[in-house]
Amino acid sequence: MASKAEKIVAGLGGIDNIEEVEGCITRLRTEVVDPGKVDEAALKAAGAHGVVKMGNAIQVVIGTDADPIAADIEDMM
């Protein structure tokens, strides 16, 4: 079974679509190559409470485990 971090990576369009990721209290702040590959429904199914898109900047609201999930994603990069 995929981890929460792996599900979020898939929702963000795959590891190759993620340029940058950082945890910020309750959000994952990411920069993606192609925002069209971001699947908001998949992110919500992975546990996101919300998704904020601003061009290539995507914020995934996931709660207090944002920092450890960001670290897990960085380990995959």
Side-chain angles (χ1 to χ4, degrees):
M1 184 166 175
S3 70
K4 190 170 186 176
E6 290 168 331
K7 291 176 185 175
I8 289 171
V9 165
L12 289 169
I15 203 71
D16 293 337
N17 198 43
I18 301 170
E19 292 187 310
E20 220 176 283
V21 63
E22 70 175 300
C24 183
I25 306 171
T26 61
R27 296 173 183 236
L28 281 179
R29 295 180 187 262
T30 67
E31 289 281 333
V32 297
V33 176
D34 180 358
K37 292 183 178 180
V38 175
D39 183 343
E40 204 166 325
L43 290 169
K44 289 185 178 177
H49 303 293
V51 179
V52 180
K53 295 180 179 181
M54 297 166 291
N56 287 30
I58 311 294
Q59 292 184 18
V60 184
V61 182
I62 54 174
T64 55
D65 54 350
D67 285 324
I69 289 174
D72 290 346
I73 293 171
E74 285 175 347
D75 288 346
M76 291 181 221
M77 295 174 80

